[in-house]
Amino acid sequence: DENNRWIVMERAKKITSGRFKQLMNGVDIINFYFYIKKYTVRRDPLFGFYINPEDEEKLDNNEFAQDLIEMINNFDLETGDFGRPSSFGEIDGRLVITDYGLTKEVYKKHYDQHRYSR
């Protein structure tokens, strides 16, 4: 509206992990998630990031993966939801993100278990 209170967006079709793999040129969601974790700013140094080299090369050249990494790094997003097919959808044969916005600040405020132990 004129006061910028609403966001209008297309409705994305839900996808399965199999459809995710089709839309990502054969890369499954687990390797995609490991790749995202490997190349984002707040990566966990203890987390194992083995990605099969063929999939890593595909993702190195994948605009969607590169744009997502840039978005995560620029907006301090948490990465956990990007390992689930439910965080993605499909519009006109394109993979889209349907669940994002969990920043470190939002996580601490609403989800961090340590806040309940005080």
Side-chain angles (χ1 to χ4, degrees):
D1 75 344
E2 60 203 34
N3 295 315
N4 299 314
R5 292 180 293 189
W6 300 310
I7 296 174
V8 178
M9 53 194 302
E10 275 185 83
R11 184 175 181 92
K13 181 176 153 185
K14 291 182 180 184
I15 62 168
T16 63
S17 53
R19 183 63 179 148
F20 180 93
K21 187 173 182 176
Q22 288 175 331
L23 293 168
M24 287 301 293
N25 194 24
V27 178
D28 67 34
I29 194 141
I30 299 301
N31 273 336
F32 177 80
Y33 178 64
F34 286 175
Y35 184 86
I36 294 299
K37 291 289 284 183
K38 183 175 180 178
Y39 291 103
T40 51
V41 171
R42 286 194 333 274
R43 61 182 178 222
D44 180 348
L46 302 176
F47 193 83
F49 295 114
Y50 175 77
I51 304 160
N52 119 18
E54 291 175 14
D55 285 352
E56 188 159 14
E57 184 177 343
K58 287 179 186 177
L59 293 169
D60 284 345
N61 297 302
N62 182 284
E63 186 177 356
F64 181 84
Q66 298 308 311
D67 287 347
L68 180 57
I69 288 168
E70 184 177 344
M71 185 175 87
I72 291 167
N73 289 333
N74 288 340
F75 295 100
D76 200 29
L77 298 179
E78 293 290 340
T79 57
D81 289 340
F82 297 123
R84 301 181 186 136
S86 61
S87 294
F88 300 94
E90 178 180 357
I91 297 175
D92 297 329
R94 294 180 298 111
L95 187 63
V96 295
I97 303 165
T98 59
D99 182 12
Y100 61 92
L102 182 62
T103 64
K104 191 174 186 178
E105 181 180 329
V106 169
Y107 177 81
K108 281 183 177 183
K109 183 175 181 181
H110 298 286
Y111 300 101
D112 190 4
Q113 296 302 313
H114 297 288
R115 69 187 175 102
Y116 296 112
S117 62
R118 294 182 192 155

